[in-house]
Amino acid sequence: MADLRFALRILGRAPLLTLVIVLSLALGIGANTAIFSFLHQIVLRSLPTENPEELVVLNSPPDFKGGRQSSNDSGGMEAIFSYKVFRGLERQPQGVTAVAGFRHLQANLSYRNQTVDGSAMVVSGAYFETLAVKPRIGRLISREDDVHGAGRPVVVLSHAYWQSRLGGQPEVLNQPLRINGRVFTIVGITPRGFTGNTFGSQPDVFVPLSFKPAMTPGWDGTDQWNDYWLYLFARLKPGVSRPQAAAALNATYRGLVEEQAQAAGQMWDARKLAQFRASKLTLIEGRQGHSSSREETKTPILILLASTGLVLLIAIANTANVLLARSAQRRQELAIRTALGASRMRLMRQVLTEAMLLSLAGGAAGLLFAYWTIKFLIFALTGGGNMPEDLTANLQWPVLSFALAVSAVCGLLCGLYPAWEAARSSVSGVLKDQSGRSSGTLRSARIRNALVCGQVTVSALLLIPTGLFMKSLVNLTRVDLGMDTRNVITFRISPELNGYKPVQSRAIFERAEAELAAIPGVRNVSATLVPLISGSNWGNNVTVEGYSRDPKAETHSMFNMVGSGFFGKMGVPLLNGREFTDRDTLAGPKAAIVNEQFARHFFGKQNPIGRRFGMGGGPDVKLDLEIVGVVKDSHYSGVKQKPPRLYFVPWRQSDEIGSMSFYVRTALAPEAVMAQVRKTLHGIDPDLPLEELRTFEEQVSRNIRMDRLILQLSAVFSILATLLAMLGLYGVMAYSVTRRTREIGIRIALGAATGSIRGMVMRQLLIILAIGLALGVPAALALSRFAESLLFGVKSFDGTVVAGAVAALIVAALLAGFLPARRATRISPTVALRYE
């Protein structure tokens, strides 16, 4: 306690210096804590269930999934299964306690005649049982509810939906809830915080899997072996390892594969059938559930954590520099304490106590900074929308433990060498060193120079990758999407989710196009089945006239359904042929328009106009689509993705379309027309929710949100690191001038010119800067290679970026050294000779 009280008095004598150190450490510790909180919540955290280490995710080879495929944030092609395969595994779950399935779906939810758009999860009867989830109230979906063709129409509400939409009233149990036009009975509420087993997806309701056909009109999904859309997981039996469970479950899977192989018939050749029969299930760790977004965000988060770690290293170096300087200034005091009987261990403990106090104070202040940073990150990721239950700004115990550990390590790193230097003080040494007038030793000066040199290195490590991210984002914002996104409002409506028949949905789409086009200030209206630049993709295999029917040939293509005059309205150039018109209806011949990628792949240099193709593969495919036009390639699902092979058909030639995205181009500012768009759709059907109403430019911006966030945070951390490094450089130069006051005074007295004195000071600065850059630039280029996958149109070595970062550091360093150099030229020889 005596050391603690004495440390508080010592730090209290220099409140401004103490505050600067605490704030410096707070920024470093707080930034690290915030990013670690994201790493913990997104990448490291297990599902909130009993024994999550027993959970496994089922995968199978994606090469044989050539039929209909539909995946989402729960995983890619390797993770989706057909309904038939799932039911077979469910009946014989060898090696595991149960196999469970689920899938997120869009849903319109109507309670007491109030309809909102939301999301549903269809789950198998063993879903909640396998996850060991207990209800908040009521009960959860059971195996008896999920019987194919004879299930019970029950629904379980998520806690968040129950609270936000239904007021958290327990009376909602046994009440009806209309989902996509079908009435279900509410039987239970999930526990608080349970959002399923896919990070980032928060279903509002849970429905038995057997009701999936009712949830998706026009898409049964349960009757075909090659319809892949369902995600599977299981729980290991006690004492059974993953390899053992995989071997046992594959015994069941082999029988299902054989059934599917027989059903495939002539669609595959003998070689592919043999390969398919040899395919196996793989079981991967499932304690964190399913998520493709987790893998996508893992690398950016680790890069940001490395960035904040480098910022913290600079803060530590600055603190160590200050403590070294204070230790040098206190040599006389410490030597006297040694003479009075204080042991070296006692002196080291005292200086370490001061360092630990500073670090812990910085850690405490850093928690507040971390909380604000997390809130900003969540706001940036959600676009200001509702905070997802997966993410919280509250600092959980693992995060608090991390912050405490980082603070303790910082205290040790800041204080160890200053403490050791302080313990070396002796009365004889101080008396020999010009009666204590020197403020430090040559060894301490070298250590301080080395620390600042390291700070310059770290600044280069941050500035160069940040420059690359900045150039990448600039490239993204300048990408020619191949369409005109200006003054366009976009939204989606899904009449089928309100129980409308396809013919009724078509009537609503026709009326919506006409009435939206009549709004004053609206230039034109277009529509698509698959929304643009939204990450969505619909695709299938095609059989093209004159193209190879070899089973190994690449015949997959993305497709979309669009309205009349779509390409002209969206600014996509028509290269050959004609556009779709109002005459392209069910009564007319089927027409298709293809992009350049499609034409080049299937027809080479031949003219595709008039050629025919059909959807699907195999000898029985009807070639009923005639190519009537070719359009220029345009970006489709994302800004960073290259245009895929793509064909378009008129939505008016589909008799099963139930949802549509609209694009309303205005002559006015889009925001001025949005209210009228809402009013128009409300007049068509007041019970039909508008989904994702925003400007098209905002949609494009959302598509590159993660890139923008990485740049913003990297820029903040880089600027912060550079400022801290330059502060350290300024401190070393100022301290060097103070140490050499006598020498400089004598030089001036002997006639040294002002430029000579300034050059002597700046020479030391430039040596430190040169060494730091010599180490930092190659290290930064090596580090940038790990982030190259996140860049767009930029290589890890970019001469312009490197030159810009080096120039920025040189300018900042010169500014940091200007005041000490200026002060050195104003030293008076008479004052210098009397110094100390």
Side-chain angles (χ1 to χ4, degrees):
M1 288 300 294
D3 289 335
L4 182 61
R5 287 194 297 269
F6 186 74
L8 289 171
R9 285 200 303 270
I10 291 294
L11 296 175
R13 290 175 188 170
L16 183 59
L17 186 62
T18 299
L19 181 62
V20 169
I21 293 175
V22 169
L23 288 178
S24 175
L25 290 173
L27 291 173
I29 295 173
N32 276 271
T33 302
I35 303 302
F36 178 79
S37 177
F38 259 65
L39 180 70
H40 175 259
Q41 294 184 71
I42 296 175
V43 179
L44 303 177
R45 185 171 59 184
S46 299
L47 292 173
T49 182
E50 297 178 8
N51 303 320
E53 67 280 357
E54 295 177 354
L55 296 175
V56 291
V57 169
L58 275 64
N59 280 357
S60 65
D63 304 336
F64 307 103
K65 298 175 181 178
R68 177 165 182 160
Q69 312 133 12
S70 177
S71 59
N72 58 24
D73 287 343
S74 297
M77 287 285 293
E78 71 285 346
I80 51 177
F81 290 82
S82 68
Y83 181 86
K84 285 180 171 288
V85 167
F86 162 66
R87 288 304 188 191
L89 294 172
E90 182 188 44
R91 287 191 295 270
Q92 301 181 56
Q94 300 184 46
V96 295
T97 59
V99 176
F102 71 93
R103 174 61 188 247
H104 292 267
L105 299 171
Q106 189 180 1
N108 284 356
L109 311 174
S110 180
Y111 183 74
R112 294 182 178 176
N113 298 322
Q114 292 186 353
T115 304
V116 297
D117 65 295
S119 63
M121 182 190 282
V122 288
V123 300
S124 67
Y127 178 83
F128 290 106
E129 171 193 317
T130 305
L131 288 177
V133 175
K134 306 299 180 185
R136 169 68 172 79
I137 59 173
R139 71 174 181 86
L140 302 176
I141 291 171
S142 67
R143 294 174 185 265
E144 290 72 24
D145 300 320
D146 179 37
V147 178
H148 185 71
R152 299 170 181 169
V154 298
V155 59
V156 172
L157 310 182
S158 72
H159 189 276
Y161 177 80
W162 177 55
Q163 288 286 339
S164 63
R165 294 292 185 178
L166 307 184
Q169 299 296 320
E171 291 79 14
V172 301
L173 289 183
N174 300 316
Q175 295 297 310
L177 177 69
R178 185 178 293 274
I179 307 175
N180 294 358
R182 176 69 184 260
V183 176
F184 292 82
T185 301
I186 301 171
V187 296
I189 313 295
T190 63
R192 180 189 298 273
F194 179 77
T195 59
N197 51 341
T198 298
F199 176 81
S201 299
Q202 299 184 91
D204 296 306
V205 297
F206 299 84
V207 174
L209 178 62
S210 56
F211 287 91
K212 189 270 175 191
M215 296 288 292
T216 55
W219 174 28
D220 187 296
T222 65
D223 55 351
Q224 299 292 327
W225 283 102
N226 62 345
D227 198 340
Y228 300 94
W229 54 272
L230 191 58
Y231 293 94
L232 309 184
F233 67 98
R235 184 179 288 274
L236 299 176
K237 288 182 177 180
V240 177
S241 66
R242 259 194 294 154
Q244 291 172 333
L249 198 57
N250 268 301
T252 302
Y253 184 65
R254 277 194 295 273
L256 298 170
V257 165
E258 183 58 36
E259 285 188 59
Q260 184 172 351
Q262 293 176 6
Q266 298 180 354
M267 291 182 62
W268 291 344
D269 62 5
R271 180 180 177 184
K272 189 167 185 178
L273 280 173
Q275 291 175 339
F276 177 59
R277 286 187 169 103
S279 64
K280 294 182 179 181
L281 288 174
T282 55
L283 306 186
I284 63 175
E285 186 180 50
R287 65 182 183 87
Q288 296 171 306
H290 290 68
S291 180
S292 57
S293 60
R294 177 181 291 113
E295 291 303 315
E296 292 171 2
T297 55
K298 181 179 179 179
T299 299
I301 290 176
L302 290 176
I303 290 173
L304 291 175
L305 188 61
S307 299
T308 56
L310 294 175
V311 173
L312 184 57
L313 283 178
I314 292 180
I316 291 171
N318 271 346
T319 303
N321 251 330
V322 172
L323 292 178
L324 271 172
R326 285 172 59 84
S327 175
Q329 291 169 356
R330 295 169 60 191
R331 291 184 71 217
Q332 201 168 22
E333 169 209 332
L334 296 171
I336 292 173
R337 292 183 65 187
T338 301
L340 294 175
S343 66
R344 292 195 173 192
M345 186 58 68
R346 177 66 184 273
L347 295 181
M348 288 187 67
R349 190 173 66 197
Q350 179 61 53
V351 177
L352 269 177
T353 300
E354 294 174 21
M356 291 299 294
L357 273 177
L358 290 169
S359 184
L360 291 175
L367 292 178
L368 183 60
F369 178 70
Y371 177 77
W372 290 337
T373 303
I374 296 170
K375 294 203 73 171
F376 165 75
L377 289 173
I378 293 175
F379 177 85
L381 285 172
T382 59
N386 294 329
M387 183 181 295
E389 288 195 33
D390 300 280
L391 296 176
T392 175
N394 298 327
L395 301 177
Q396 301 167 335
W397 279 113
V399 179
L400 291 174
S401 301
F402 173 83
L404 179 61
V406 169
S407 300
V409 171
C410 285
L412 289 173
L413 293 177
C414 291
L416 274 176
Y417 186 79
W420 180 76
E421 183 71 18
R424 296 175 65 250
S425 298
S426 64
V427 177
S428 60
V430 171
L431 291 176
K432 286 179 180 178
D433 197 3
Q434 298 187 18
S435 302
R437 288 188 295 236
S438 175
S439 59
T441 66
L442 182 60
R443 182 185 292 105
S444 296
R446 287 175 176 171
I447 291 295
R448 285 192 290 274
N449 288 343
L451 288 173
V452 175
C453 187
Q455 290 176 311
V456 173
T457 300
V458 171
S459 295
L461 279 171
L462 287 172
L463 278 177
I464 291 175
T466 299
L468 294 173
F469 285 131
M470 185 177 296
K471 191 168 183 179
S472 174
L473 184 63
V474 169
N475 290 342
L476 284 171
T477 58
R478 293 179 177 176
V479 166
D480 180 8
L481 296 176
M483 64 185 78
D484 187 359
T485 63
R486 296 169 297 176
N487 289 356
V488 176
I489 300 169
T490 179
F491 63 90
R492 189 171 184 82
I493 55 175
S494 304
E496 69 176 4
L497 300 186
N498 273 16
Y500 286 94
K501 301 298 182 184
V503 64
Q504 296 172 311
S505 296
R506 288 171 56 86
I508 286 180
F509 299 147
E510 295 275 8
R511 184 178 171 188
E513 278 193 346
E515 295 190 16
L516 287 169
I519 296 175
V522 171
R523 289 181 172 176
N524 56 60
V525 179
S526 51
T528 66
L529 172 65
V530 183
L532 306 175
I533 318 297
S534 66
S536 298
N537 280 297
W538 284 26
N540 56 21
N541 290 335
V542 293
T543 301
V544 180
E545 178 186 11
Y547 188 75
S548 171
R549 296 208 176 195
D550 188 331
K552 298 178 184 179
E554 179 55 61
T555 61
H556 194 270
S557 174
M558 300 301 171
F559 81 93
N560 205 344
M561 296 183 183
V562 300
S564 304
F566 168 79
F567 302 102
K569 293 173 182 178
M570 293 303 295
V572 180
L574 181 68
L575 301 178
N576 198 2
R578 68 171 178 88
E579 275 253 37
F580 295 135
T581 68
D582 292 337
R583 294 190 299 274
D584 291 309
T585 64
L586 287 170
K590 290 187 176 182
I593 293 176
V594 302
N595 71 349
E596 291 176 286
Q597 290 278 12
F598 186 101
R600 189 180 303 115
H601 178 78
F602 289 106
F603 303 107
K605 295 182 179 181
Q606 300 178 30
N607 184 7
I609 301 299
R611 304 288 287 272
R612 307 180 72 84
F613 69 95
M615 300 182 189
D620 300 328
V621 173
K622 187 177 181 181
L623 306 183
D624 55 353
L625 286 169
E626 180 182 347
I627 299 174
V628 298
V630 179
V631 293
K632 190 174 180 61
D633 287 339
S634 60
H635 286 251
Y636 183 58
S637 65
V639 177
K640 297 177 76 171
Q641 286 78 36
K642 293 181 179 179
R645 289 191 294 275
L646 182 62
Y647 70 92
F648 304 86
V649 295
W651 70 258
R652 286 179 171 82
Q653 290 191 339
S654 171
D655 56 0
E656 294 185 351
I657 192 164
S659 62
M660 190 78 74
S661 291
F662 285 83
Y663 299 88
V664 182
R665 188 177 299 280
T666 71
L668 308 173
E671 292 76 12
V673 184
M674 279 190 179
Q676 192 61 37
V677 169
R678 287 184 181 276
K679 183 178 179 181
T680 300
L681 268 296
H682 187 270
I684 294 174
D685 185 350
D687 201 34
L688 189 62
L690 265 69
E691 307 159 22
E692 302 172 346
L693 177 65
R694 59 178 68 104
T695 68
F696 196 17
E697 289 183 335
E698 181 185 352
Q699 177 62 46
V700 174
S701 180
R702 283 170 174 260
N703 192 256
I704 57 174
R705 182 186 298 164
M706 181 58 71
D707 299 85
R708 194 182 305 276
L709 182 61
I710 292 173
L711 170 64
Q712 290 171 341
L713 291 176
S714 298
V716 169
F717 296 146
S718 299
I719 292 171
L720 178 59
T722 303
L723 289 176
L724 290 174
M726 295 309 108
L727 180 63
L729 189 56
Y730 167 80
V732 163
M733 299 311 300
Y735 184 71
S736 175
V737 169
T738 300
R739 279 185 68 246
R740 302 174 67 180
T741 297
R742 285 190 176 188
E743 174 195 343
I744 294 171
I746 292 172
R747 285 175 179 267
I748 293 175
L750 294 176
T754 300
S756 174
I757 298 299
R758 186 181 294 116
M760 179 186 70
V761 176
M762 297 302 287
R763 193 179 304 114
Q764 180 185 356
L765 178 145
L766 291 175
I767 290 173
I768 293 174
L769 182 63
I771 295 173
L773 289 175
L775 295 173
V777 171
L781 293 176
L783 180 65
S784 298
R785 294 183 65 85
F786 291 100
E788 196 166 37
S789 62
L790 301 175
L791 302 175
F792 181 80
V794 186
K795 295 297 182 182
S796 58
F797 178 79
D798 187 289
T800 305
V801 170
V802 173
V806 170
L809 279 174
I810 291 174
V811 171
L814 292 176
L815 290 174
F818 174 75
L819 287 179
R822 184 169 176 267
R823 178 186 167 196
T825 62
R826 297 189 174 189
I827 291 175
S828 170
T830 55
V831 174
L833 292 173
R834 293 198 304 267
Y835 186 71
E836 294 188 347

